[in-house]
Amino acid sequence: MRTLFKLISLTALLTLAGCQSILDAPTEVTKPTVEIPHDDPQWQQNLARLAQINAYSAKGQFGYISPNERFSSHFDWQYQTSTNFGLTMSSNLSSKSLKLQRNRYGMTVSDSEGNSRTEADVGELMEEMIGVSFPIDQFAYWVKGQPEPNSNYIVNEKRQLAQFDYAVNGTVWKASFVEYHEDRTPNLPKLIVLENGAQTLKIRIDNWTY
């Protein structure tokens, strides 16, 4: 992992994280045996419900695995609009935290010790932090199980988003929705696994508020 800059090190924060259980979450994801067409009325109804969830928050854990690293972190995602959202990452073994705040000028990253930095190129900042250009702007939608319009994705028999691929700088990632919170309507994701063959990012959402 790359160091963001001398005063803000994501590794220094996340290697202290005590939520190792997310790293052991399932990664073997099979393609649904039944694929529902995108124009299915129940799926379209579900999409409409998801689109109505505008401002919301999601709390849970991130787990990152590569040939050289494994780390995990708690996260608190607060979303208002496409140019106003924030992501805070923290450890339960340390008072340290790291916050990303999006505004119309770009992204500001700051730590609990008062250091901060702002970049207009959000993709470049994410790549410097975690080694890949993570599409954090798009994350706001598909973390809800809501695919981008006109994209290539798979819907399972429960009318849930199951899988889709996305390319970042020539690298293809597969997003798989392993588990949903099914005690609410619409169902919202509980475990998402992103893989590109060398790196795996697991996202477990424990708490939804909207």
Side-chain angles (χ1 to χ4, degrees):
M1 179 186 301
R2 305 177 186 183
T3 303
L4 179 57
F5 55 107
K6 290 183 179 179
L7 297 179
I8 299 179
S9 171
L10 189 61
T11 304
L13 167 67
L14 298 184
T15 53
L16 293 175
C19 46
Q20 297 301 314
S21 60
I22 184 62
L23 296 175
D24 300 322
T27 57
E28 295 295 328
V29 181
T30 58
K31 187 175 180 179
T33 55
V34 177
E35 295 183 30
I36 301 301
H38 294 183
D39 61 357
D40 174 79
Q42 291 184 49
W43 167 242
Q44 288 299 316
Q45 184 180 43
N46 188 46
L47 277 180
R49 290 184 179 129
L50 292 171
Q52 291 174 357
I53 301 175
N54 295 313
Y56 68 92
S57 68
K59 297 180 181 181
Q61 298 177 19
F62 283 130
Y64 176 83
I65 303 171
S66 74
N68 302 316
E69 293 179 282
R70 289 170 61 91
F71 67 76
S72 59
S73 170
H74 293 288
F75 75 86
D76 184 350
W77 171 261
Q78 301 287 334
Y79 183 84
Q80 299 297 323
T81 69
S82 60
T83 55
N84 181 15
F85 59 79
L87 174 65
T88 301
M89 292 177 284
S90 61
S91 163
N92 62 358
L93 297 181
S94 168
S95 60
K96 292 181 180 181
S97 64
L98 193 70
K99 183 174 183 178
L100 286 76
Q101 185 66 47
R102 179 78 154 98
N103 58 42
R104 61 194 180 99
Y105 301 108
M107 181 84 73
T108 297
V109 58
S110 57
D111 67 7
S112 51
E113 298 177 356
N115 306 299
S116 66
R117 172 180 165 183
T118 300
E119 286 289 343
D121 190 330
V122 176
E124 182 177 337
L125 180 61
M126 295 304 296
E127 184 169 7
E128 188 172 342
M129 285 181 63
I130 61 175
V132 295
S133 186
F134 184 74
I136 195 167
D137 285 332
Q138 289 75 25
F139 175 78
Y141 298 96
W142 53 256
V143 73
K144 298 187 296 179
Q146 179 183 352
E148 294 183 78
N150 303 316
S151 61
N152 185 19
Y153 60 88
I154 296 173
V155 181
N156 66 23
E157 65 277 6
K158 294 182 178 180
R159 275 64 179 180
Q160 301 164 339
L161 178 61
Q163 290 182 344
F164 67 87
D165 294 343
Y166 65 94
V168 181
N169 296 334
T171 299
V172 177
W173 287 77
K174 178 180 292 293
S176 299
F177 291 73
V178 181
E179 189 177 1
Y180 277 80
H181 291 278
E182 297 185 349
D183 57 346
R184 64 183 67 206
T185 301
N187 298 163
L188 293 172
K190 184 176 182 179
L191 177 61
I192 307 170
V193 176
L194 311 177
E195 298 176 288
N196 68 5
Q199 298 165 304
T200 299
L201 178 63
K202 301 179 183 182
I203 305 166
R204 193 178 79 197
I205 303 100
D206 298 317
N207 218 339
W208 283 98
T209 305
Y210 58 91

